[in-house]
Amino acid sequence: MVLLDGALIPTERRAGLPVKRRWSAKYKRHGLLVIALTDVRGRLLWTSTARSARGSEITACRQDDLVGRLRAAGLAAIVGLGFVGLDDTGPAVITGYKKPKGKKLTPAKKLVNQLIAAERAVCEHAFAHLKNWRVLTKLRLDVKRATRLVRALMILTQHEIAR
């Protein structure tokens, strides 16, 4: 069992590039989108390539074929409501329930959402540890170098937490 989540790493706008290139309309700021897998203890296991913030998390997962990779490894991932519809064919991705428009969720579905949110809190903490590195806030690199930096910081974060 792994936890899957995406996060926007806020960055500064790179000079000379169009303003909207790394602009996230969801968060109203510039940044890079990173998808990560963590275990249930909160250790970062894998990070995707850094992408422009204008894309969505579910699109990034589809481009990386995460569902196929999870199935090949025999794993299931617990994800948030932003990933509903990522895996319609099997139990590789476990999501909660969205509230239907104009209706309420049943108590059983609310309980399922609470249990999933409690499990996912560990993943949010892992991302918070990764975002604590100040070098990421001053980042103006291209995406390839940013990916290397994020993966190096992932290893350093694991080392810091293990101490």
Side-chain angles (χ1 to χ4, degrees):
M1 182 69 64
V2 293
L3 305 169
L4 175 71
D5 197 14
L8 177 86
I9 297 176
T11 61
E12 293 183 1
R13 185 174 75 86
R14 191 169 169 199
L17 293 179
V19 175
K20 299 286 184 180
R21 186 163 179 187
R22 289 191 186 153
W23 179 259
S24 171
K26 179 179 177 182
Y27 296 104
K28 307 289 190 269
R29 64 176 310 148
H30 292 279
L32 297 171
L33 177 68
V34 176
I35 307 295
L37 285 174
T38 61
D39 62 1
V40 292
R41 294 182 60 203
R43 293 179 299 214
L44 287 167
L45 302 174
W46 175 84
T47 58
S48 69
T49 57
R51 290 184 168 80
S52 175
R54 65 182 176 181
S56 69
E57 297 168 345
I58 194 167
T59 303
C61 289
R62 286 182 178 143
Q63 288 172 350
D64 285 343
D65 189 30
L66 282 181
V67 175
R69 291 180 183 193
L70 287 171
R71 280 204 186 103
L75 294 172
I78 297 176
V79 298
L81 292 178
F83 294 92
V84 171
L86 180 62
D87 181 26
D88 295 332
T89 59
V93 176
I94 301 166
T95 61
Y97 295 97
K98 285 188 176 180
K99 183 179 82 72
K101 191 173 185 177
K103 297 181 181 178
K104 293 184 178 180
L105 284 177
T106 64
K109 289 183 179 181
K110 283 184 182 181
L111 181 63
V112 169
N113 284 351
Q114 288 175 350
L115 293 173
I116 288 175
E119 286 292 321
R120 288 190 64 250
V122 175
C123 189
E124 299 294 335
H125 290 293
F127 260 124
H129 288 299
L130 183 63
K131 287 182 180 181
N132 278 340
W133 294 94
R134 281 190 64 198
V135 69
L136 289 175
T137 61
K138 302 294 181 191
L139 196 62
R140 288 183 171 195
L141 302 172
D142 64 340
V143 176
K144 289 181 186 177
R145 290 185 181 169
T147 300
R148 290 184 194 143
L149 180 64
V150 167
R151 288 184 177 161
L153 290 176
M154 178 186 75
I155 300 298
L156 288 174
T157 302
Q158 289 174 353
H159 180 68
E160 286 290 318
I161 293 173
R163 280 202 284 159

